[in-house]
Amino acid sequence: MTRTATTEVSGSAGTGTGPGGASARRLPERAVAPLRGLAGLAGLVVVLEVLPHTGLVSADYLPPASETVRALWHLLAEQTFWTALGDTLTGWGLGLAISVVAGVAAGLVIGSVPVLRAVAASTIEFLRPIPSVALIPIAVLLYGADLRSKLLLVVYASFWQVLVQVLAGIQDVDPVADDTARSYQLGTWGRLRHVMWPTALPYVMTGIRLAATVALILAVTAELVIGAPGLGQEIAVAQTSGAVPQVYALVLVTGLLGVAVNLVARAVERRALHWHQSVRTEVAV
């Protein structure tokens, strides 16, 4: 009996079926996943470097990756680049902050009052699908090529991302929990704090993460089309002057900025929802 038990335990440890073996399998997977992403990125860089030299694509329109990197290196030494980056981040940050505050406040008020929600539903469904770029002529007429034009587009696009998620979160509140709070004579503020907000918070964080990406897209779009100061304006100027490697370098910066925004938003979401089952399951896995 002792010999058999010892054999089973040692076999379990050797094959990785026990807890230690499962951890041993998971840890390499966590280390391999980033390496796979880097390998894919390296493959893309190689393709972009080789493709212009093959003659399939003219280097006048698609310069090799090495030229794009050199152009980016020169941009990093210019004050105008950092000023443009600051202008883009300013428009993105202000627009996102306004849209989050307005979206959360409006969502909580509308979602908490059934009559108000029913009245506002048709208006929301009418305004939400309107593309923000369709407001560019109005923004130019009102504010010209100003920061306010950029904020108008950013806030309009990001606001709906937050509002819709907050309304979905309020609607997902457990009626039994709400009735229990009422039976304990909790007021509107008490039910909002202890019942509605914990349920809606995961939806709110999802809305903020989506709004952060949308806000960056609209900020660069406003700069590119309207001519508001920022990276988009620098891309338009480089394209007009025929500085193709600089165009690709600036596009690369906007892409990296988008990746950074998404990573930061996900980190904030995991931090704010550390108690939530979805985050705890993700950490465990």
Side-chain angles (χ1 to χ4, degrees):
M1 291 292 293
T2 305
R3 185 178 304 163
T4 303
T6 304
T7 304
E8 290 178 356
V9 172
S10 60
S12 175
T15 57
T17 56
S23 300
R25 287 199 308 271
R26 286 197 300 266
L27 290 177
E29 183 64 24
R30 291 181 181 179
V32 168
L35 295 178
R36 290 174 179 169
L38 292 176
L41 181 61
L44 177 62
V45 171
V46 171
V47 171
L48 293 178
E49 178 66 30
V50 173
L51 192 59
H53 296 289
T54 62
L56 296 176
V57 179
S58 174
D60 295 334
Y61 304 105
L62 180 63
S66 56
E67 291 188 21
T68 301
V69 172
R70 282 196 295 269
L72 178 59
W73 180 257
H74 291 307
L75 283 175
L76 296 177
E78 298 178 3
Q79 181 61 36
T80 55
F81 167 76
W82 295 105
T83 302
L85 179 61
D87 291 334
T88 297
L89 291 177
T90 299
W92 168 79
L94 287 176
L96 179 62
I98 295 172
S99 62
V100 168
V101 172
V104 171
L108 291 177
V109 172
I110 296 174
S112 301
V113 182
V115 176
L116 186 58
R117 181 178 184 123
V119 171
S122 58
T123 304
I124 293 174
E125 292 303 320
F126 172 74
L127 294 175
R128 186 168 61 92
I130 298 177
S132 294
V133 293
L135 302 179
I136 288 179
I138 299 176
V140 173
L141 287 174
L142 291 176
Y143 305 115
D146 197 350
L147 174 63
R148 292 173 294 179
S149 297
K150 188 192 308 185
L151 289 178
L152 176 62
L153 301 180
V154 171
V155 171
Y156 185 84
S158 305
F159 170 78
W160 302 112
Q161 305 294 329
V162 180
L163 176 64
V164 171
Q165 291 295 326
V166 174
L167 291 177
I170 296 297
Q171 192 174 15
D172 196 39
V173 172
D174 188 357
V176 176
D178 192 31
D179 292 339
T180 303
R182 292 177 184 273
S183 66
Y184 279 96
Q185 298 182 350
L186 287 180
T188 302
W189 173 250
R191 290 187 293 110
L192 181 63
R193 177 182 178 185
H194 298 290
V195 179
M196 296 182 183
W197 182 249
T199 303
L201 185 57
Y203 293 86
V204 173
M205 298 308 302
T206 300
I208 293 175
R209 176 162 50 83
L210 296 174
T213 303
V214 171
L216 180 62
I217 294 173
L218 267 298
V220 176
T221 300
E223 297 161 358
L224 187 63
V225 178
I226 297 176
L231 292 175
Q233 185 189 52
E234 294 297 313
I235 293 174
V237 171
Q239 186 269 335
T240 304
S241 60
V244 178
Q246 187 173 347
V247 171
Y248 281 94
L250 290 168
V251 171
L252 177 61
V253 171
T254 58
L256 294 175
L257 194 58
V259 172
V261 166
N262 186 61
L263 291 176
V264 171
R266 287 187 175 276
V268 172
E269 183 178 14
R270 287 193 297 268
R271 180 76 174 181
L273 299 177
H274 63 91
W275 51 270
H276 196 263
Q277 181 181 359
S278 60
V279 174
R280 294 170 63 184
T281 303
E282 179 182 351
V283 172
V285 172

